[in-house]
Amino acid sequence: MPRLALARRIIEHTEKAIDLLLQQLEHLKIENAIFYLDAPVSNSGRLSTLIKACGGKHDVSVTVQVINNVDRVLEQQDGVISSDAIILNKCISWLNIMPVIMEQLEAVWMIRLQCLG
């Protein structure tokens, strides 16, 4: 079951981002996902409500936990989805679903880096 960490600021694109994430989890046939949000962050409650609302539109059972020390929890988990390199380096295993999600976006600048020589 994936464990997810999300950016903490709610903007106009947040709901779309959550929907894209949940669509990809559905595509991967992942039935359950736990979202961990940092309790000390001011928008955690609103983001939790939004994630639960979006979860109701998808075939993924969504649990949201607003806790302290999210990093420490994720570092001990497998199937982590996060953009935080420190967490990804410490967790048991992680999923990189961003390339597939990025392909679904209309206006994204992508730069492919390649070593020459």
Side-chain angles (χ1 to χ4, degrees):
M1 172 181 341
R3 278 78 173 171
L4 304 110
L6 291 179
R8 291 142 182 117
R9 193 176 73 195
I10 297 174
I11 59 172
E12 63 183 77
H13 303 292
T14 303
E15 184 173 351
K16 177 68 173 172
I18 295 166
D19 281 330
L20 286 169
L21 175 61
L22 292 171
Q23 287 172 10
Q24 185 58 29
L25 295 179
E26 282 178 312
H27 178 73
L28 294 170
K29 307 230 183 307
I30 294 172
E31 297 176 354
N32 303 296
I34 302 171
F35 288 75
Y36 292 98
L37 304 177
D38 273 321
V41 177
S42 62
N43 285 330
S44 294
R46 285 191 285 159
L47 184 55
S48 173
T49 300
L50 182 58
I51 293 168
K52 290 174 188 175
C54 291
K57 300 182 286 185
H58 298 275
D59 289 330
V60 177
S61 176
V62 172
T63 303
V64 180
Q65 295 186 15
V66 180
I67 61 172
N68 292 312
N69 298 318
V70 169
D71 292 7
R72 293 185 196 269
V73 171
L74 289 174
E75 289 169 1
Q76 300 170 14
Q77 303 296 324
D78 62 344
V80 172
I81 299 172
S82 176
S83 61
D84 188 321
I86 295 171
I87 292 172
L88 295 176
N89 285 335
K90 292 182 179 180
C91 68
I92 297 169
S93 66
W94 50 270
L95 301 170
N96 183 7
I97 63 171
M98 284 311 299
V100 176
I101 291 174
M102 297 281 289
E103 290 172 4
Q104 298 175 37
L105 300 177
E106 296 172 12
V108 174
W109 290 22
M110 293 178 61
I111 300 172
R112 301 204 188 279
L113 302 176
Q114 178 181 1
C115 291
L116 300 175

